[in-house]
Amino acid sequence: MPLSKSIGATNMANLDQQVGYMLRQAQLAVFADFIAKQRGAVLRPGQFSILAVIGRNPGLSQARVCCALAIKRANLVAAIDALASLGLVRRDASVTDRRSNRLHLTQSGQRALQAALETQAQHEARITRLLGSAGKRVLLKQLAKLCELRKTRSPE
Amino acid sequence: MPLSKSIGATNMANLDQQVGYMLRQAQLAVFADFIAKQRGAVLRPGQFSILAVIGRNPGLSQARVCCALAIKRANLVAAIDALASLGLVRRDASVTDRRSNRLHLTQSGQRALQAALETQAQHEARITRLLGSAGKRVLLKQLAKLCELRKTRSPE
DNA sequence: CCGATTTGTTATGCATCATAACATTTGGCC
DNA sequence: GGCCAAATGTTATGATGCATAACAAATCGG
């Protein structure tokens, strides 16, 4: 068994066998790869996810975006501000509910999303090459399971 | 197949089938569970990993901690400051290399690490219950593969 | 109609990560 | 031995992500 002893190098204290630690490292590596590949208007994973959800759900309210992406309402404001000032997203006042805004992609927003989706596909393909198609499918299923930790209040 | 159509709910734009997005969500969930379980002196995953590495490698230099945990030297300074002001870590000047510091756990640092390791074991056990023992092993191996993205400069 | 809730917003704080610059010290090399 | 490159710890600074509290306006329920 790989006990990660210290042979001149540093003893990793079994950190590399703990899910939380490895999740963090992998996430940083994957995000760095995503960011390195993106050269268009959409630069960061967060922006991309917001743009993608709005693109698939035209007229969505900010609250629903927050619910879908697990973002706090307060934090989405600046994000939409940024996307709007880049000319990618429109914030239209809803006529049926004057509290909420209806979010839409502009023409250039749709183009930006399209471009981002393509480079994202390359990024994803690279990961598939690394894990294998079946391996990636298994990984996604396990990550989904881990997300359930969020709901369950420690039962003991 | 689960095409994640929008049936009253919000269309997730296939985000839930992308490794980066799901990695992020899972990492947040796992970290939240870790933090919720920790009630001792060690509260956050970063602190824990630093403490664990120092505990297994007494006399380690800051630079080596940085190398092991993929932390920037500049950012470790404040982290060690915090652990030192909590009385968990000592920063001794090295006699062989007067540039570097030799890091050690204090008595109470060792106790804090011990306590953190125990609650961390509960946390990890909960994850094992969720994924299964084999599933967790597979997950760790795949996460390790993803970490290789950090080294490889996009080859095409 | 009135109280509770929802929605967007502002302000604020904290944690994490990154870069640049600097002084001190070490090491390699001629 | 002396000099230049590299390593080490440090400071300063900025961007990002995430969280909470409080607020006004609007909606909803009874």
Side-chain angles (χ1 to χ4, degrees), chain A residues 33 36-37 39 126, chain B residues 149-156:
Chain A
D33 187 74
K37 279 229 180 4
R39 285 290 175 265
R126 189 162 176 224
Chain B
L149 284 176
R150 189 176 271 158
K151 335 208 168 204
T152 55
R153 277 288 152 255
S154 42
E156 51 254 79

Side-chain angles (χ1 to χ4, degrees), chain B residues 43-100:
Chain B
L43 298 172
R44 304 194 62 81
Q47 289 184 344
F48 171 76
S49 63
I50 295 173
L51 223 58
V53 165
I54 297 178
R56 293 279 186 115
N57 306 269
L60 206 61
S61 72
Q62 294 182 201
R64 291 183 78 92
V65 173
C66 289
C67 183
L69 299 180
I71 301 175
K72 303 290 175 183
R73 273 177 304 140
N75 294 328
L76 186 65
V77 176
I80 300 290
D81 285 348
L83 292 173
S85 74
L86 288 174
L88 305 180
V89 167
R90 249 182 315 127
R91 234 197 290 235
D92 300 336
S94 167
V95 285
T96 67
D97 184 341
R98 298 194 308 188
R99 293 170 299 181
S100 66

Side-chain angles (χ1 to χ4, degrees), chain B residues 85-140:
Chain B
S85 74
L86 288 174
L88 305 180
V89 167
R90 249 182 315 127
R91 234 197 290 235
D92 300 336
S94 167
V95 285
T96 67
D97 184 341
R98 298 194 308 188
R99 293 170 299 181
S100 66
N101 298 324
R102 296 175 60 86
L103 301 173
H104 290 275
L105 297 189
T106 63
Q107 290 275 339
S108 101
Q110 293 180 22
R111 282 193 301 270
L113 173 57
Q114 192 57 37
L117 280 170
E118 285 166 15
T119 63
Q120 206 276 341
Q122 299 175 16
H123 161 75
E124 203 72 16
R126 189 159 176 225
I127 292 176
T128 306
R129 229 176 302 146
L130 206 57
L131 301 181
S133 183
K136 179 179 149 186
R137 209 165 16 244
V138 170
L139 175 64
L140 286 173

Side-chain angles (χ1 to χ4, degrees), chain A residues 19-60:
Chain A
V19 172
Y21 178 80
M22 291 303 291
L23 261 181
R24 180 61 170 157
Q25 299 298 330
Q27 187 246 306
L28 287 176
V30 169
F31 268 33
D33 187 74
F34 177 94
I35 294 172
K37 279 229 180 4
Q38 293 289 343
R39 285 290 175 265
V42 177
L43 298 173
R44 304 193 64 81
Q47 290 185 346
F48 172 76
S49 64
I50 295 173
L51 222 58
V53 166
I54 298 178
R56 292 279 186 115
N57 305 270
L60 207 61

Side-chain angles (χ1 to χ4, degrees), chain A residues 8 11 13 17-20 24-25 27 31 56-57 64 120 124 126 130 135 139 142 145 150 152, chain B residues 8 11 13-14 18-20 24-25 27 31 56-57 64 120 124 126 130 135 139 142 145 150 152:
Chain A
N11 186 315
Q17 298 187 24
Q18 295 179 4
V19 172
R24 180 61 170 157
Q25 299 298 330
Q27 187 246 306
F31 268 33
R56 292 279 186 115
N57 305 270
R64 291 183 77 91
Q120 206 277 341
E124 203 72 15
R126 189 162 176 224
L130 206 57
L139 174 64
Q142 286 169 315
K145 279 189 201 164
R150 188 175 270 157
T152 56
Chain B
N11 184 316
N14 284 332
Q18 295 179 4
V19 172
R24 180 62 171 159
Q25 299 298 329
Q27 186 247 306
F31 269 32
R56 293 279 186 115
N57 306 269
R64 291 183 78 92
Q120 206 276 341
E124 203 72 16
R126 189 159 176 225
L130 206 57
L139 175 64
Q142 287 170 314
K145 280 188 200 167
R150 189 176 271 158
T152 55

Side-chain angles (χ1 to χ4, degrees), chain A residues 49-91:
Chain A
S49 64
I50 295 173
L51 222 58
V53 166
I54 298 178
R56 292 279 186 115
N57 305 270
L60 207 61
S61 72
Q62 294 181 202
R64 291 183 77 91
V65 173
C66 289
C67 182
L69 299 181
I71 300 175
K72 304 290 176 184
R73 272 177 306 139
N75 294 327
L76 187 65
V77 177
I80 299 290
D81 284 349
L83 292 174
S85 74
L86 288 174
L88 305 181
V89 166
R90 248 183 314 128
R91 234 196 290 234

